[in-house]
Amino acid sequence: MSSSDIQITPIKQSKINSVDFNNLVFGTVFSDYMFECDYKDGKWQTPVIKPYGDISISPSARVFHYGQAVFEGMKAYKDDNDDIFLFRPEENFVRINKSSERLAIPEFPKEYFFDGLTTLLNLDKDWIKKGIGNSMYIRPFVIATQPAISASPSEEYKFMILLSPAQAYYAGEVRVIFSEKYSRAADGGVGFAKAAGNYAAQFYPTKLAHEKGYQQIIWTDASSHQFLEEAGTMNIFFRIGDTLLTAPNNDRILDGVTRKSVIQLAKDNNIEVEVRRVSVVEIKDAARKGTLKEIFGSGTATVINPILGFSHGGKEYELPTVENSYASFFKEKLMNIQYNISEDPYGWRVKI
Amino acid sequence: MSSSDIQITPIKQSKINSVDFNNLVFGTVFSDYMFECDYKDGKWQTPVIKPYGDISISPSARVFHYGQAVFEGMKAYKDDNDDIFLFRPEENFVRINKSSERLAIPEFPKEYFFDGLTTLLNLDKDWIKKGIGNSMYIRPFVIATQPAISASPSEEYKFMILLSPAQAYYAGEVRVIFSEKYSRAADGGVGFAKAAGNYAAQFYPTKLAHEKGYQQIIWTDASSHQFLEEAGTMNIFFRIGDTLLTAPNNDRILDGVTRKSVIQLAKDNNIEVEVRRVSVVEIKDAARKGTLKEIFGSGTATVINPILGFSHGGKEYELPTVENSYASFFKEKLMNIQYNISEDPYGWRVKI
């Protein structure tokens, strides 16, 4: 397939002038176009790009009843020359199909994904604003559309890509709870996948955390609640002394693109990094001894998000203010690559 | 609210004559009407009943991205006098709100639920066919509709009820695998809720089971895979000697309406029933000794579903053919109450 095979329905008029790009609320404003590709009769049909707007769907579509849906999160960046870049997009493409496999959704073809994404970004390129922190958040997702309310895999799907312009994501001062009761994922479950249902399952415990004054939860393993795993929309890093710690990937933890980029940057910048189980006890001990210097999350939306404190067993722990913070170091390194400011020895930056 | 407050848009013409009621595929045929109630501005709006058909919804609705959705399964039965009955509908109402709470969805009002359900069933009463095994499958569900792709609870929802006529549900000869690798739910997770995402998570492992010749999986606890929990769309009972065993409810196991009815019927019919953890080892030992007489599932769609054999650790175990099977006994008892054939000392049958 070449991008010329995508059927494009043009917009009548762009909405771009009605958007205040200096006051964007994350995930609420969408560009002029969207990409859509249906799966039926055993194959993905000809993709279309059309004006962003409501879709018509059966109320008995399996996505509504059985949560058969997966997604990805990516960003596009514009440099001072108006060139547009993606960051490691191959990783997102591979991962959405891994997620799909675990949810019994058919694999999406690579050429459809990249031709669709490129064509869409070119159509909506004026929506991507220059300047550090500005980006176009990209949301590929797949939903089960077959109208049948029996609990088995759908025979029809819709793959879509939405574009939502975003400013620098500032989550505010983030304090977290280490989970002691609720869990995000089971061994042998779907925690490693970007499965829709993984996210709704976190809303209620997170609401309870909010009521206690914490912005997020760091999930622990469901069996013992003794090991720190991820934050639901971010992977988590701990710095004890000058060593960086993060949990290994397993079937409960998302294989984050930002996470693996941080690990690579650490290795190449002489920061010792240990990818291993990180226990609650170890982090609390380090906090008490003063050797716990940083905790931060990593993810596409947030890039790197420093955590100021945590709570466990009813006790509060504050992180110190450190000079030469790893969080700042990695954030700058990553953004310099993403925005075409620095060299990119890894080939992570892909010009479209 | 009285049912007169529901806004009803009449159909132009019924589809009923186009339906072959002797060849229904479960969950694929829908009645003329559907019930719909939107939540916005902090409250549930005036419900409507309108012709069954596609809905228009934003592609950025949170249900598509974060799986914020719950459902229920119920049935209506018609007796020889054309009276229509529900089975313990209060249980389903209470449970959908328990599921909603865990998924951070606002509670649905009781009067809306029952007035909506009753009005809908009366409008579509000709779709409910007489005769043992015929029923109207009822699917209440709630989906998050707010167009915002940030991972937090929706501020807008749609509650719907669909009706799908059903014949006796014959699942065929059912052989199962006891899960050794995959899991359905985590401690502290959403397994007890009828959360949409719980179902899609089972599709892939079930597909693998199908490929090996098994129709379903009996899920074990995620931590040790040593205890038998439920079958995903059914609770599970084991009969060793003349004692009935089933797992206790916990945060991983659905509190099934048919399950609790079976337990009640067992107690009142001098069948010893133990509600406790049931280990894989115990069931395999009993199978080898010949004391394992029955395994059966219970659920609204299937009522009681006998299981003919199971596999674990690469070994096959066949269940014997027993006279006076508990499965047949409970199925008859339940259906006689549901179809208004027998007395109902429990008040489970509710005439509408």
Side-chain angles (χ1 to χ4, degrees), chain A residues 302-335:
Chain A
T302 190
V303 191
I304 299 290
N305 198 332
I307 289 165
L308 302 187
F310 68 91
S311 170
H312 184 264
K315 285 196 179 151
E316 305 295 323
Y317 301 80
E318 285 291 302
L319 275 292
T321 307
V322 290
E323 288 184 26
N324 303 318
S325 103
Y326 284 177
S328 304
F329 173 79
F330 291 122
K331 186 165 189 171
E332 192 182 346
K333 280 271 180 197
L334 285 168
M335 292 180 77

Side-chain angles (χ1 to χ4, degrees), chain A residues 197-209:
Chain A
N198 288 342
Y199 296 79
Q202 301 178 57
F203 290 171
Y204 177 72
T206 304
K207 193 170 77 167
L208 298 181

Side-chain angles (χ1 to χ4, degrees), chain A residues 27 30 52-60 65-66 71 101-103 139 141 148-149 182-183 187-188 196 200-201 204-205 223, chain B residues 27 30 52-53 55-60 65-66 71 101-103 139 141 148-149 182-183 187-188 196 200-201 204-205 223:
Chain A
F30 296 88
Y52 174 86
D54 288 357
I55 58 173
S56 181
I57 184 170
S58 171
S60 45
H65 304 269
Y66 305 119
F71 71 93
E101 182 185 22
R102 183 60 181 83
L103 275 285
R139 171 55 58 89
F141 66 108
I149 54 168
Y182 291 105
S183 303
D187 284 316
Y204 177 72
S223 301
Chain B
F30 295 89
Y52 174 86
I55 58 174
S56 181
I57 184 169
S58 171
S60 46
H65 304 269
Y66 306 120
F71 71 95
E101 182 185 22
R102 182 60 181 84
L103 275 284
R139 171 54 59 88
F141 67 107
I149 53 169
Y182 291 105
S183 304
D187 285 317
Y204 178 71
S223 301

Side-chain angles (χ1 to χ4, degrees), chain A residues 149-189:
Chain A
I149 54 168
S150 54
S152 58
S154 182
E155 292 173 6
E156 296 168 15
Y157 297 88
K158 193 183 282 295
F159 187 107
M160 299 188 76
I161 304 175
L162 308 181
L163 301 181
S164 178
Q167 292 176 271
Y169 190 92
Y170 177 62
E173 299 209 332
V174 175
R175 285 183 170 74
V176 299
I177 291 186
F178 292 173
S179 185
E180 293 171 65
K181 176 182 171 190
Y182 291 105
S183 303
R184 180 184 168 275
D187 284 316

